[in-house]
Structure formats: structure tokens, C-alpha cells
Amino acid sequence: MIEFIVIGITDNPTPFFPTEVLEVIQQGKIFSGGKRHHEIVAPLLPDGALWIDITVPLSKVFEQYQQSTLNCQLSTVIVFASGDPLFFGFANTLQREFPHSPMTVFPSFNSLQLLSHRLLLPYHDMRIVSLTGRPWKEFDRALIEGTTKMGVLTDKEHTPATIAQRMLDYGYVDYTMSVGEHLGNPVDEKVTTGTLTEMSERHFSMPNCLILTGSHPHQWGIPESDFSLLDGRSKMITKMPIRLLSLQALDLPRRHSLWDVGFCTGSVSIEARLQFPHLDITAFEVRPEGATLMNENSRRFGVPGIQTVIGDFLTVNCNDLPRPDAVFIGGHGGQLKAIMAKVIRYLLPHGCIVMNSVTPQSRQLFDEACQELGLKEAAPTHIQLNEHNPIDILKCELPSSTSLTQA
């Protein structure tokens, strides 16, 4: 069994370690860390020390750990990691890969703590998001939820300039960004604070991290007149009260993945993402101009992160998309039964389907599809808005016993 000792360091080329840590290093035989870490601690390693670089793929690194400790009942690998190894750090990775291995951690300040110290900024209320090797999802969610103080860990793809530009694209203009480069290095350390526009035009050296402070108000319920419309046709958008009732029927607070089939202007997807930013949302539209409308409207209302799929839903390959536990059918082009049959091939157990019916014919098609596909119907909501025709908000649920191969 491998024992891990994980030691946190900053970017300081002459690190200070307590006596206890220095003794651990001097008694060690197998060491590991990034190439930059090796450069920093090389003078402290004992003669004959074995060093294992942490590079991708990590599976090769783990194989070297196993090989280097082969035939030992208990052998120790000393790992150097940046900052606090349990703060989005390598110690978490080791715990997942070697869940039964004993571990000792000697942390240092993590980069966001160091940046907060340089800025004299209290950070007990700061929300932390890592974009290091991760998608935008949690960053987007933090923005939409109105986070006023956010610490962000970056990488070569998600740079301060890229992050600033994404925020500007979606209207998050009232933020200030502070970037720390080479924190802990007395020679190369640099802290820069500016507007998002200023930061979007700058290059920052790695490693770096950043802190965002500011606010961006959101509203509950977007008037349909605020959206860019398909050829200016106001009838091609779900009216705000109907839209909010439809979201209520979808029971989105406890859902994880929403499909919006036939999104047109994107109003349902955008409202859902704005009010429930934890959701993965995939929006389908057959008309190519839907992509332009979704892009324009999502940026207008500050809603990044909606995945748009253009094409006939019945022929689109959905195998690699997040499986939904909620589906809204906003348009079906007379193919409602076929669309619902395809949906339940992917719908998770107890997932629901909601659609708005304005004609007896579509209501009948929905009822017949539910019977044929073994879906459990809920009582419809009947509503008339102003002078518009009455609308039935229809809902059904997929029982856990329904076979995914039924369709």
C-alpha cells in the first residue's frame, strides 16, 4: 500500500518549510510533482531521490507510483502540489484514485488566498469556481445567480482575457477583475486590477488566478416584447405568464437536465436557465435562424451555457447529449407522437414532458401519445390570457417501470 505525503508550495523559488516538513523531505525516497515544482524543491531533495513528473495522462503517473513501490508493504510517495492540495488540488485526485491509502497533507496558502491578501480583501464570503481543466458550467451558474465576489482558478484555455470577454458578451459589464500572476514569487509576482474591457485586451502569464467583484441584477419573468422575434412575429413566442406556468409544471428546482424541443426564440430555455442556473439545457430548433435568435437573446439577458442543436429533432443524434429529466415541447410540426416517442428513449425515470396546447387536435394527439407510450398524465392547467385563445398546459411523466426501448 502506498502512503502519500502531500506538501503544498507557492511559486516562491526559495520556499520556507517548517522543521517537520524538512525532516519528511530528507527522509523521503520517492518524490513527485509538476516540472515547476521540481525546479523549486530540487535543492532540498536527498541524494538518490527518485522524481516522478506529474503529467497527463495521469494514469501513467499512477502506474509509476505503483511500480516504484512494488514489493513494499508500505512505501511513501511525497508529492509537491500548488497551494493547499485539498483546494481543487492533487490531493483530491489521489483520494479518488487511491481511496484506501493513508495520506498526510501539509498545506500552504492557495493562490486565491494569496491574491486576497495582496488586495486586503476579506474572502470568507467569496464563491470559488475552478476553470482549470473544467467547462464553463459552474462559472456561468455563479454569474447567473448574481455572485458578487468570485474567485476563479484559470488555465491556458480559460484565461483572464477570455473570461472577461465572455462576461462582456453576456452583458456582465459592472464587474472589476483583479488578476494575480506568479503569486508567492518575490521577483515575478504581479497583481493587476481593472475593468473587464481592460482585462479582455491584456495578456497574463501563467500561473494566474483572478477575483471578480460586482453585481448584475436579473428579473423574474421576461416580457415577450423584450425578445428578438422570428420575423417579428409575436405569436411565435410563449407569453410570459404561460412560460412561467410551464416552468412550474416542469418542476425545475429538482430537475437536472432540460430539453427544449422547438425553441424558436429561445424564451423558455432562457427563462429556465435564468431562474434555475443549475440546469443543463439543450435546445432544439429545425429552423436555422433559430441559432441566431438564441445567440442574440441569450446574450441580451445574460444567459450563457445553453446548448443549441439545429436540425430536425427526429433525425438528430441525441446519444451524446445529457439525458433529460424534463422536456418542454414548444413546437412539433404535426409530429407530436413521433417526437414524444423519441423523447422517452432518453427521458430518465420519473422525468416529465410538458407542452402547451392551443387546439383540441394537439390535445388529442398528446392524450393518444401518452396512452400508447405508457406515460402517466397529470391534470391539465387551463388558462386564457387576455384576448388570446385558451391554452391547456399538458404534462405527463415517465414511470420508472417504462422501458426505454418501448419507442
Side-chain angles (χ1 to χ4, degrees):
M1 180 181 293
I2 304 175
E3 176 189 15
F4 290 101
I5 299 177
V6 190
I7 301 172
I9 62 174
T10 68
D11 205 50
N12 194 319
T14 56
F16 168 80
F17 291 118
T19 301
E20 178 184 12
V21 175
L22 289 174
E23 290 177 352
V24 167
I25 294 172
Q26 287 302 310
Q27 295 170 6
K29 296 180 181 179
I30 305 170
F31 297 86
S32 186
K35 294 183 182 296
R36 181 171 59 89
H37 301 141
H38 192 196
E39 293 174 0
I40 293 173
V41 303
L44 301 176
L45 302 183
D47 293 338
L50 170 65
W51 181 271
I52 300 173
D53 279 325
I54 298 177
T55 57
V56 292
L58 289 178
S59 58
K60 299 293 184 182
V61 178
F62 301 145
E63 288 177 7
Q64 291 183 71
Y65 290 168
Q66 298 280 16
Q67 191 65 33
S68 63
T69 58
L70 203 61
N71 300 324
C72 297
Q73 283 189 333
L74 180 66
S75 188
T76 301
V77 176
I78 299 174
V79 179
F80 293 94
S82 297
D84 182 349
L86 288 170
F87 181 79
F88 296 99
F90 196 64
N92 303 327
T93 304
L94 292 175
Q95 286 180 323
R96 289 194 300 269
E97 187 67 23
F98 302 93
H100 303 297
S101 290
M103 178 183 295
T104 303
V105 174
F106 295 98
S108 179
F109 286 118
N110 66 62
S111 59
L112 288 172
Q113 285 178 312
L114 290 174
L115 181 54
S116 297
H117 297 162
R118 304 300 186 262
L119 298 170
L120 298 180
L121 180 70
Y123 59 87
H124 59 277
D125 57 347
M126 184 164 66
R127 182 168 178 173
I128 309 300
V129 173
S130 176
L131 289 173
T132 306
R134 292 173 168 86
W136 289 105
K137 180 180 177 180
E138 290 303 317
F139 178 81
D140 292 343
R141 177 178 178 178
L143 283 183
I144 297 170
E145 289 179 346
T147 302
T148 57
K149 186 188 297 181
M150 188 190 330
V152 183
L153 302 176
T154 63
D155 63 14
K156 293 180 180 179
E157 299 285 334
H158 305 88
T159 66
T162 303
I163 293 167
Q165 189 59 57
R166 185 176 182 85
M167 294 177 69
L168 291 171
D169 288 344
Y170 286 92
Y172 292 85
V173 297
D174 296 325
Y175 278 80
T176 297
M177 178 184 287
S178 297
V179 179
E181 304 168 76
H182 299 283
L183 293 167
N185 188 315
V187 177
D188 297 328
E189 178 178 290
K190 186 177 180 181
V191 175
T192 308
T193 298
T195 66
L196 295 181
T197 299
E198 292 168 340
M199 297 309 211
S200 69
E201 298 170 350
R202 299 190 58 147
H203 171 76
F204 296 92
S205 59
M206 297 290 292
N208 62 59
C209 65
L210 61 91
I211 294 175
L212 294 162
T213 54
S215 63
H216 184 84
H218 286 303
Q219 63 191 86
W220 171 258
I222 307 172
E224 53 270 17
S225 58
D226 290 352
F227 284 89
S228 292
L229 303 175
L230 180 65
D231 299 327
R233 290 182 284 175
S234 60
K235 292 184 178 180
M236 296 295 288
I237 183 172
T238 305
K239 303 299 184 289
M240 180 178 67
I242 306 300
R243 189 188 322 134
L244 295 180
L245 283 172
S246 298
L247 297 184
Q248 183 275 332
L250 287 162
D251 194 17
L252 295 180
R254 68 185 187 93
R255 306 295 182 180
H256 301 284
S257 176
L258 168 67
W259 281 10
D260 181 4
V261 181
F263 66 77
C264 192
T265 61
S267 65
V268 171
S269 288
I270 289 169
E271 190 83 68
R273 177 78 169 147
L274 196 60
Q275 309 307 335
F276 307 100
H278 69 281
L279 288 170
D280 284 320
I281 300 181
T282 307
F284 304 84
E285 175 57 48
V286 68
R287 289 171 286 233
E289 55 266 43
T292 301
L293 284 173
M294 178 65 84
N295 182 60
E296 183 175 340
N297 285 322
S298 62
R299 289 169 185 260
R300 176 177 297 182
F301 300 111
V303 187
I306 297 173
Q307 183 174 358
T308 302
V309 180
I310 300 298
D312 184 347
F313 177 76
L314 293 176
T315 61
V316 167
N317 185 350
C318 299
N319 293 335
D320 295 330
L321 298 174
R323 286 180 58 188
D325 50 7
V327 176
F328 179 77
I329 300 177
H332 55 79
Q335 298 292 317
L336 180 58
K337 286 188 177 182
I339 288 174
M340 291 179 66
K342 181 170 182 177
V343 162
I344 69 164
R345 290 167 49 195
Y346 300 94
L347 189 64
L348 293 169
H350 300 295
C352 69
I353 301 172
V354 169
M355 69 166 283
N356 298 328
S357 171
V358 295
T359 66
Q361 291 78 13
S362 61
R363 169 71 184 271
Q364 182 179 350
L365 284 173
F366 186 86
D367 292 341
E368 291 175 357
C370 290
Q371 292 177 358
E372 294 170 8
L373 298 171
L375 301 170
K376 181 181 179 181
E377 284 193 75
T381 299
H382 186 78
I383 185 171
Q384 182 170 0
L385 181 65
N386 299 331
E387 74 282 2
H388 299 288
N389 292 329
I391 290 177
D392 288 326
I393 300 176
L394 309 177
K395 178 179 180 179
C396 62
E397 185 174 285
L398 178 70
S400 58
S401 59
T402 300
S403 171
L404 291 176
T405 61
Q406 181 173 347

